[in-house]
């Protein structure tokens, strides 16, 4: 394994500091060109990253973004892997000219598998929930994590031992058959499942590696490791707007457990944050704008999910929530994206607190009903008429746009390391290099 030469040996962990969809794909791609290894450490194929490289657009949902650059890419043990989707995504990228082999892509042998009955259960639960829907992508992510915690999961390493799987199948099918019966659905077809696993095993196993060994060896050699988070901190199963969250921990600390490296490996934690706020699916959203302004943000920002195509809800920047994300995820600096979407607004608003039934909060209270009743307290700041689109240094930004960025820094208590002013990777203002010592 050959790593790039250079003075800096810092690692970088990239996480979303809102509800996901903050533009992590572009930033990770921008960093991946200078990294030696890129690691996905949690989530599944419900997280979409869009990369624009020259005239080519790549849409990823499971593979680490570094694969497009040929950087060694790792799917860590904290990820739940749909093997059939993995094969489809590999085939799609190969069709776009991306080279993908076991030499540049590794999957942790201990990754739990997302199986067809996980997808079934996800959909059955959502359909039965009525108004209480969580807004899941129905891809089986949650049920797969449940089986992992319940010690019933079938993992990547099991694909090499399918003849020894009988007892594990008994455990997992007993659980799912009972659930399926409750929904009036037939039991798991074990013969079909085994046939499907035998069919996919030959494709997956060449990529299966003890990635903790790979990563620890890379660390010892001074490699630059880039940890790529999925979703956002506000969807963290512990720290997010529960129960309208994802099924994994999305904070930077998960990079350690989800990869096999110790907690010191996280390095510089870069929190990706839009210059406004968006959310997909159900759940509280104090600054949501259900008016012409919200529609304008959505149209200008092209706010549709990469994976689901669902329209994103839009609202003003919420400094309270971002400050909370920064605290629980240990963010070192933020990358502020989509600043250009705010061009032309006469005035902008930033949420600086909430009232819940007359009580003031400088954080979002944990109970869903309190969150739903939270009324934002706004600070108004003048907008700008000049264009910020494509700016690559401070001098190219409108003066009022700089004031907006500086005010956000003050309110969230964290410096801005990068500012993104368009989907193009080079339209980025670098304030602090995350890979620098």
């Amino acid at each position: 394994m050959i790593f790039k030469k250079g003075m800096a040996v810092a690692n970088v962990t990239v996480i979303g500091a809102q509800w996901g969809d903050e533009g992590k794909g572009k930033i990770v791609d921008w960093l991946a060109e200078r990294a030696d290894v890129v690691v996905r450490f949690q989530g599944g194929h419900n997280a979409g990253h869009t990369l624009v490289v020259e005239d080519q657009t790549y849409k990823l949902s499971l593979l680490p973004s570094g694969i497009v650059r040929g950087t060694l890419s790792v799917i860590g043990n904290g990820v739940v892997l749909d093997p059939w989707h993995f094969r489809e995504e590999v085939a799609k990228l190969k069709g776009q000219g991306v080279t993908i082999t076991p030499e540049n892509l590794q999957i942790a042998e201990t990754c739990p598998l997302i199986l067809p009955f996980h997808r079934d259960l996800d959909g059955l639960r959502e359909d039965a929930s009525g108004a209480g829907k969580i807004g899941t992508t129905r891809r089986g992510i949650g049920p797969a994590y449940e089986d992992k915690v319940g010690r019933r999961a079938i993992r990547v390493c099991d694909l090499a031992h399918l003849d020894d799987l009988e007892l594990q199948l008994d455990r997992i099918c007993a659980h799912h058959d009972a659930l399926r019966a409750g929904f009036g659905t037939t039991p798991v077809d074990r013969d079909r499942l085994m046939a499907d696993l035998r069919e996919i095993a030959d494709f997956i196993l060449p990529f299966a590696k003890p990635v903790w060994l790979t990563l620890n060896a890379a660390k010892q050699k001074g490699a630059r490791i880039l940890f790529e988070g999925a979703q956002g901190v506000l969807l963290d199963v512990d720290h997010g707007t529960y129960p309208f969250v994802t099924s994994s921990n999305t904070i930077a600390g998960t990079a350690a457990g989800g990869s096999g490296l110790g907690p010191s490996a996280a390095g510089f934690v870069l929190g990706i944050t839009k210059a406004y706020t968006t959310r997909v699916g159900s759940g509280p959203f104090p600054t949501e704008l259900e008016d012409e302004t919200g529609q304008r943000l959505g149209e200008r920002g092209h706010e549709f999910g990469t994976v689901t195509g669902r329209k994103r809800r839009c609202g003003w920047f919420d400094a309270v929530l971002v400050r909370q994300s920064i605290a629980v995820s240990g963010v070192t600096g933020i990358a502020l994206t989509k600043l250009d979407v705010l061009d032309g607004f006469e005035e902008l608003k930033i949420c600086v607190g909430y009232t819940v039934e007359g009580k003031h909060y400088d954080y979002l209270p944990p109970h869903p009903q309190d969150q739903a009743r939270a009324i934002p307290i706004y600070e108004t700041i003048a907008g700008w008429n000049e264009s910020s689109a494509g700016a690559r240094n401070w001098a190219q930004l409108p003066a009022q746009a700089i004031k907006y960025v500086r005010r956000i820094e003050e309110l969230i208590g964290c410096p801005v390391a990068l500012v993104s002013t368009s989907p193009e990777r080079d339209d980025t203002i670098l304030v602090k290099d995350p890979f620098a010592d």
Side-chain angles (χ1 to χ4, degrees), residues 1-4 11-12 28 31-40 64 66-67 70-75 104 106 211 214-219 222-228 261 435:
M1 195 178 300
I2 300 173
F3 298 119
K4 300 179 181 73
N11 296 335
V12 177
V28 170
L31 291 166
E33 194 172 36
R34 295 180 297 141
D36 298 299
V37 189
V38 180
V39 186
R40 271 286 307 272
I67 198 67
T71 305
L72 176 61
S73 298
V74 171
I75 296 176
N104 66 359
Q106 297 184 11
V211 303
T214 299
L215 295 175
N216 275 277
K219 179 184 176 184
R224 296 175 177 179
I225 302 174
L226 176 61
F227 296 96
E228 177 183 0
L261 278 176
F435 270 126

Side-chain angles (χ1 to χ4, degrees), residues 160-172:
H161 299 274
L162 291 177
D163 291 336
D164 301 317
L165 204 58
E166 198 66 28
L167 293 178
Q168 196 69 357
L169 278 177
D170 288 342
R171 287 170 53 80
I172 199 166

Side-chain angles (χ1 to χ4, degrees), residues 101-214:
T101 70
E103 281 64 53
N104 66 359
L105 178 63
Q106 297 184 11
I107 303 172
E109 298 169 312
T110 51
C111 270
L113 298 179
I114 299 173
L115 302 172
F117 52 75
H118 291 131
R119 296 192 296 271
D120 293 344
L121 182 58
D122 217 350
L124 289 167
R125 284 173 169 168
E126 277 290 276
D127 291 341
S129 295
K133 288 181 179 179
I134 299 297
T136 172
T137 56
R138 298 172 179 255
R139 296 188 168 220
I141 313 292
Y145 272 119
E146 289 175 37
D147 282 342
K148 173 184 176 178
V149 175
R151 294 165 292 182
R152 297 178 294 268
I154 295 172
R155 303 183 299 171
V156 168
C157 58
D158 292 321
L159 294 175
H161 299 274
L162 291 177
D163 291 336
D164 301 317
L165 204 58
E166 198 66 28
L167 293 178
Q168 196 69 357
L169 278 177
D170 288 342
R171 287 170 53 80
I172 199 166
C173 288
H175 177 76
H176 282 270
D177 286 348
L179 293 173
R180 292 167 72 90
F183 285 108
T185 302
T186 57
V188 173
D189 185 336
R190 289 177 59 152
D191 291 340
R192 173 66 185 273
L193 175 62
M194 283 301 297
D196 288 344
L197 290 174
R198 290 188 190 281
E199 184 273 332
I200 198 67
D202 288 343
F203 185 84
I204 299 297
L205 286 173
F207 296 97
K209 298 287 192 301
V211 303
W212 64 273
L213 280 175
T214 299

Side-chain angles (χ1 to χ4, degrees), residues 386-399 401-402 421 427 429:
E386 308 96 313
S387 174
S388 66
R392 298 184 181 183
N393 57 61
W394 287 116
Q396 295 175 335
L397 282 181
I402 296 173
T421 58
D427 291 342
I429 300 170

Side-chain angles (χ1 to χ4, degrees), residues 125-349:
R125 284 173 169 168
E126 277 290 276
D127 291 341
S129 295
K133 288 181 179 179
I134 299 297
T136 172
T137 56
R138 298 172 179 255
R139 296 188 168 220
I141 313 292
Y145 272 119
E146 289 175 37
D147 282 342
K148 173 184 176 178
V149 175
R151 294 165 292 182
R152 297 178 294 268
I154 295 172
R155 303 183 299 171
V156 168
C157 58
D158 292 321
L159 294 175
H161 299 274
L162 291 177
D163 291 336
D164 301 317
L165 204 58
E166 198 66 28
L167 293 178
Q168 196 69 357
L169 278 177
D170 288 342
R171 287 170 53 80
I172 199 166
C173 288
H175 177 76
H176 282 270
D177 286 348
L179 293 173
R180 292 167 72 90
F183 285 108
T185 302
T186 57
V188 173
D189 185 336
R190 289 177 59 152
D191 291 340
R192 173 66 185 273
L193 175 62
M194 283 301 297
D196 288 344
L197 290 174
R198 290 188 190 281
E199 184 273 332
I200 198 67
D202 288 343
F203 185 84
I204 299 297
L205 286 173
F207 296 97
K209 298 287 192 301
V211 303
W212 64 273
L213 280 175
T214 299
L215 295 175
N216 275 277
K219 179 184 176 184
Q220 289 173 12
K221 292 178 180 179
R224 296 175 177 179
I225 302 174
L226 176 61
F227 296 96
E228 177 183 0
Q231 293 97 24
V233 173
L234 300 176
L235 293 174
D236 185 279
V237 70
D238 287 312
H239 300 285
T241 49
Y242 191 91
F244 302 99
V245 292
T246 194
S247 303
S248 61
N249 287 110
T250 59
I251 59 172
T254 310
S259 67
L261 278 176
S264 63
F268 188 103
V269 179
L270 185 66
I272 315 299
T273 308
K274 275 179 184 165
Y276 50 100
T277 310
T278 63
R279 177 165 200 169
V280 172
S282 306
F285 186 170
T287 66
E288 183 174 12
L289 298 169
E290 300 181 87
D291 56 10
E292 291 181 4
T293 301
Q295 184 175 346
R296 182 180 176 186
L297 286 171
E299 290 174 353
R300 295 200 61 186
H302 305 290
E303 297 297 352
F304 296 91
T306 301
V307 170
T308 63
R310 289 186 292 180
K311 183 179 179 181
R312 297 176 187 136
R313 301 153 63 190
C314 298
W316 294 122
F317 187 86
D318 192 328
V320 182
L321 285 180
V322 173
R323 184 169 65 239
Q324 199 164 322
S325 294
I326 286 167
V328 301
S329 209
V331 173
T332 313
I334 69 164
L336 192 69
T337 67
K338 292 198 169 185
L339 183 66
D340 55 302
V341 173
L342 300 181
D343 290 353
F345 279 87
E346 197 169 307
E347 65 177 25
L348 305 168
K349 293 184 179 181

Side-chain angles (χ1 to χ4, degrees), residues 411-434:
L411 291 170
I412 65 176
C414 186
V416 170
L418 301 166
V419 179
S420 172
T421 58
S422 94
E424 296 296 327
R425 69 187 303 275
D426 292 328
D427 291 342
T428 303
I429 300 170
L430 177 62
V431 183
K432 162 70 175 174
D433 185 350

